[in-house]
Amino acid sequence: MYAEDFALHGEQAFTGAFNWYRNIERNNELLAPFRGRGIDVPALYLVGDRDMVTSLSGPGGLASLTALVPGLHDAVVLPGCGHWTQQERPGEVNAALLEFLAGIDGHANPWHDAEPLCRHHSAKHILDSLNI
C-alpha cells in the first residue's frame, strides 16, 4: 500500500522527509527559543506500544510526561500498534480524540473558562461540525 503511494512520486517520494534530516542543524537553531519549555495547553498523548519512539523516551517513560505536559488529559497506549497510529487504528484514534475534545469543554476541566485555543473552533464547535 505505502510502496504504491510512494512509487507515484518517483525520485521525489521521500524529499520532504529527507529534507527534515538534511536541515536538522538549522531546525535545532530555529527551535532553540523553545528548549526547556513545557506544553501548557490541554493535551492528549497517543502512541502505539510498537513505536520505537517510545523506547527513546528515557527514564520514567510515559510517567515523566506530566512534568513536561501539566495539562495532559490522558496517555493512551495502543497495544500491537506501531508509529502510524492513525492509519493502523483509525477507530481507536478517533474515539480517543473525540473523548479528549469533549473533555476540553467540560465543567470539570481547569481550562473551561479560558479563552479557546482557536477563537473560531472550540472543541464543542469541532464536535458539532463533525455531525457524529
Side-chain angles (χ1 to χ4, degrees):
M1 178 171 125
Y2 288 116
E4 293 170 8
D5 289 342
F6 284 119
L8 295 173
H9 301 283
E11 293 180 11
Q12 307 300 311
F14 295 101
T15 300
F18 287 151
N19 283 345
W20 169 262
Y21 294 101
R22 287 180 184 125
N23 197 42
I24 198 82
E25 289 181 25
R26 180 68 177 135
N27 291 339
N28 285 332
E29 291 172 21
L30 292 171
L31 295 173
F34 304 103
R35 281 196 191 106
R37 184 165 178 200
I39 298 169
D40 56 2
V41 296
L44 172 69
Y45 183 72
L46 196 100
V47 66
D49 70 352
R50 290 186 172 180
D51 186 342
M52 96 169 178
V53 173
T54 60
S55 66
L56 304 175
S57 63
L62 293 178
S64 64
L65 276 178
T66 55
L68 179 64
V69 189
L72 186 65
H73 170 75
D74 199 3
V76 177
V77 180
L78 301 174
C81 187
H83 184 70
W84 303 104
T85 55
Q86 65 275 26
Q87 284 88 9
E88 294 178 47
R89 303 284 181 75
E92 291 170 76
V93 169
N94 287 341
L97 288 171
L98 290 171
E99 179 182 334
F100 167 68
L101 289 171
I104 289 176
D105 283 337
H107 290 285
N109 190 315
W111 300 279
H112 180 263
D113 294 324
E115 188 165 326
L117 301 176
C118 174
R119 292 180 189 188
H120 304 290
H121 296 97
S122 70
K124 182 175 180 347
H125 173 81
I126 292 168
L127 290 173
D128 290 346
S129 69
L130 294 173
N131 294 321
I132 295 177

